Amino acid sequence: MKLGYPTITWGGVVGTPEGVTSVASSFYRTNGSTADALRDIAAAGFTGTEVFDGNLLDFEGGASAFSRVLEETGLELVSVYTGANFIFEEIAAEEFAKISRAAQLAAEFGASRLVVGGGAQRAGGPADGDLSRLARGLDRSAEIAAEHGLQASYHPHLGTLVETPEALSELMPLTTIAFCPDTAHLAAGGGDPAHLIREYGDRLAHVHLKDWNSSTKRFLPLGQGELDFPGIIQAIRETGYDSWLMVELDYYDGDPADAARISRQFLEQVLADQSFHESRPSRQVKEH
């Protein structure tokens, strides 16, 4: 398996201000320096990274500047994260225009995967058909990604329609998009990450690893919370997945470079302690 680390921890997740008045301009981004984040990620020993769609806008029309930092650090841009509401049909065209732009940028900068979040929660609670509308939106997002040579996967997330394992079990039969588990979000929503990885193992196409403390409701570097990562890694291996593991952390009180090093050292030990000689052949994720 290959280990990557997204840039989100350097500045945390915010949005583009233009998105307040323009749905098609509503991108995710971090406030930190992308170049500094990539240098810290490489120094921590990771070989791949993931960025938000909005951070690529900083390099739009100047891909060589971004490519130079990747070349300097030796990192591979593996994936780009995007998302949308998906349940409001009147703005669907605007959202798909944004996702198309995100996919175009991801392909331009050399990524092979598009990670898709979303499925809005209404102020008055879910309306009939919201999950079906989300599923159609995810299928269309996967089509857009494929048009740009990318593989799309869905990331269940707190604060969306799909927080709980029950909601995930309702959604997955309605859509064909691949699955990107986030261990902390799955646990925080009341799920067992290892169980859910096994349940949807035939659709596993990308992985986000982060730790979780249910008492403090905080995301943490690997090994500093309560999640059973040896069990989670074993579940991933049982699916036959043998590709990128993205160690993600939405925020960190200290130096984000320290968090990256902590997680890298912990994950290396977990991987070293496990046998890598399974009888079942590894299933390589197809890169478009």
Side-chain angles (χ1 to χ4, degrees):
M1 295 185 191
K2 296 176 285 187
L3 306 184
Y5 203 98
T7 60
I8 181 175
T9 322
W10 286 257
V13 58
V14 295
T16 50
E18 299 90 337
V20 175
T21 53
S22 171
V23 173
S25 300
S26 182
F27 293 89
Y28 290 112
R29 63 177 297 115
T30 66
N31 274 329
S33 164
T34 300
D36 288 347
L38 296 179
R39 294 184 182 104
D40 285 346
I41 288 166
F46 293 93
T47 57
T49 192
E50 177 178 308
V51 303
F52 283 127
D53 49 10
N55 287 100
L56 288 183
L57 294 174
D58 297 342
F59 300 93
E60 193 170 21
S64 59
F66 186 78
S67 299
R68 281 197 296 272
V69 181
L70 290 177
E71 183 177 356
E72 170 198 332
T73 58
L75 291 174
E76 176 181 341
L77 177 62
V78 178
S79 44
V80 172
Y81 192 103
T82 189
N85 292 284
F86 291 122
I87 64 170
F88 305 114
E89 293 180 345
E90 63 271 26
I91 63 170
E94 298 294 307
E95 292 190 320
F96 292 135
K98 186 276 296 287
I99 290 172
S100 294
R101 190 176 178 196
Q104 180 180 351
L105 286 168
E108 178 183 347
F109 289 100
S112 58
R113 301 177 182 180
L114 190 70
V115 185
V116 184
Q121 292 183 345
R122 298 177 188 266
D128 289 344
D130 275 355
L131 273 177
S132 294
R133 284 183 282 272
L134 169 57
R136 290 195 295 272
L138 294 175
D139 283 344
R140 178 59 189 137
S141 298
E143 291 172 357
I144 291 169
E147 290 166 4
H148 292 277
L150 308 171
Q151 180 172 31
S153 57
Y154 176 59
H155 181 305
H157 204 287
L158 295 177
T160 72
L161 268 177
V162 184
E163 293 183 304
T164 67
E166 292 79 15
L168 185 61
S169 70
E170 289 184 57
L171 173 71
M172 291 298 272
L174 302 177
T175 177
T176 60
I177 197 169
F179 180 45
C180 171
D182 180 302
T183 54
H185 281 278
L186 293 176
D192 178 338
H195 172 77
L196 292 168
I197 286 166
R198 289 186 176 97
E199 184 171 357
Y200 303 110
D202 61 336
R203 295 169 68 171
L204 189 65
H206 196 57
V207 175
H208 279 186
L209 301 176
K210 60 173 167 275
D211 216 336
W212 166 251
N213 184 307
S214 58
S215 297
T216 61
K217 309 297 183 187
R218 291 178 64 84
F219 298 135
L220 297 166
L222 303 189
Q224 297 201 340
E226 61 195 49
L227 298 191
D228 173 17
F229 281 100
I232 288 168
I233 297 300
Q234 181 60 35
I236 292 169
R237 288 179 48 73
E238 286 175 13
T239 73
Y241 180 90
D242 188 16
S243 189
W244 288 99
L245 302 176
M246 285 288 161
V247 182
E248 189 194 39
L249 187 60
D250 297 36
Y251 50 80
Y252 188 64
D253 289 338
D255 185 345
D258 291 339
R261 286 191 290 269
I262 291 167
S263 288
R264 169 74 186 190
Q265 291 168 4
F266 176 83
L267 186 55
E268 278 189 330
Q269 187 61 55
V270 171
L271 294 172
D273 288 344
Q274 292 192 350
S275 169
F276 291 91
H277 304 288
E278 301 266 345
S279 58
R280 179 178 178 180
S282 294
R283 172 175 57 81
Q284 297 288 340
V285 173
K286 182 180 179 182
E287 306 289 2
H288 291 257

